Amino acid sequence: MTKRVFNFNPGPSTLPLSVLEKIQGELLDYRGSGMSIMESSHRSPQYDEVNESAMALTRELFGLSDDYHVLFLTGGASQQFAMIPMNFLKQGQTASYVDTGTWSAKAIKEAQVIGETHVAFSGKAGEYKHIPVDDELDVPANAAYLHITTNNTIKGTQFHHTPKVGVPLIADMSSDIGSMQRDHARYSMIYAGAQKNLGSAGVTLVAMRDELLQQSNDSLPTVLNYKTQAGKKSLYNTPPSFPIYVMNLVLEWIKEQGGVAAVEKVNAQKKDLIYGMIDEHPNFFKGTVEEAGRSWMNITLRLPNEELEKKFIAEAKEAGLIGLKGHRSVGGVRISLYNAMPLAGAQAARDFMQEFMSRV
Ligand SMILES: *Cc1c(COP(=O)(O)O)cnc(C)c1O
């Protein structure tokens, strides 16, 4: 008998059960081809169908017009931290970044290798508890772009608005893509490693406006130039075909749920269960960030002391609630509620919080 737990791991993370079952069913003989999609040529008709479908679903679910190129790249979101300034930061320009935590800081570090970099807002002094409103952003006039991280996976904050700026907006959406409705067309580029909300590790989804793509630096090595993969439908070299296949199934799953709007509704119920508990018992469960910037995907909290936190995490694990430990850099408890976590998982976490509090 297969025993599935509620998996709250921050990434790689839980996948929809129906997607895993579909993969299982298709693993040995992919749709009559007599082989796994893993064993198929990336030039085969069956892989072409997967590739086209994943591109079309990305456009459909995120409301992106044909002006956008959809790319499936490798190297994780981390490689995008380097490729973005390599492609778009030119002499005489500045790369502008909003620093809302660990991942933003890593992106900034890469840009500094390439050229002039500027921090439009830093949450560092305020321990990254705050998400800035537009008035707090200081974007230089010569900025090639403004980069934001929509969800701060480690510190537990999230942008609930899209900044209005006069320069191209680029967003790392690795940990909240597809979780809430956004005006994605206001972003010149979005990207996300698949392993949190879109599937398995190994592929990074990138969507960018043609207007931005045309700005890219042509004197780069072929594989690091966005134009290369855009011109070849991500088939310049062998793509991570299996992770792309998994991502396509997750995109189909989002569509079956009723699209991003329907997924957002469930996500709102999930986060209300947990934040409700935190707000009702502030002396036991202490939220770590400002209310306006609370993440719906990664809920971070502290218990009255570290001993209780350890006990909470260990006993939750015993009860089949896995992966509730806060990131090693911040400690505490983190409850990750990605799209594929069912409402029943959030309810189980809430019930456990209640039971634990009344017992200890
Ligand atoms: C996990 C994460 C990353 C790192 O992704 P890799 O695929 O491991 O490079 C980057 N940004 C955010 C917001 C993340 O949550």
Side-chain angles (χ1 to χ4, degrees), residues 75-79 81 103 149 151 153 172 174-175 193 195-196 204:
S78 300
Q79 183 164 306
F81 296 167
W103 295 116
T149 311
N151 184 68
T153 324
D172 175 1
S174 291
S175 54
Q195 68 271 24
K196 282 142 188 164
T204 309

Side-chain angles (χ1 to χ4, degrees), residues 10-12 74-81 102-104 106-107 147-154 172-176 191-196 201-204 298 334 338:
T74 53
S78 300
Q79 183 164 306
Q80 296 309 303
F81 296 167
T102 316
W103 295 116
S104 314
K106 286 197 167 170
H147 180 281
I148 67 169
T149 311
T150 49
N151 184 68
N152 182 350
T153 324
I154 292 174
D172 175 1
M173 297 192 174
S174 291
S175 54
D176 70 350
Y191 65 99
Q195 68 271 24
K196 282 142 188 164
V203 61
T204 309
N298 308 98
R334 169 170 51 177
Y338 296 125

Side-chain angles (χ1 to χ4, degrees), residues 92-161:
Q93 292 182 323
T94 299
S96 190
Y97 284 78
V98 177
D99 177 14
T100 48
T102 316
W103 295 116
S104 314
K106 286 197 167 170
I108 292 167
K109 189 166 165 257
E110 296 306 296
Q112 285 168 339
V113 173
I114 304 299
E116 193 183 307
T117 304
H118 172 269
V119 178
F121 169 85
S122 176
K124 194 171 178 186
E127 294 174 351
Y128 295 121
K129 293 173 196 285
H130 175 71
I131 290 289
V133 297
D134 288 359
D135 281 350
E136 293 172 271
L137 302 180
D138 165 29
V139 183
N142 70 339
Y145 55 82
L146 178 73
H147 180 281
I148 67 169
T149 311
T150 49
N151 184 68
N152 182 350
T153 324
I154 292 174
K155 311 279 183 185
T157 56
Q158 186 175 29
F159 272 90
H160 295 283
H161 70 284

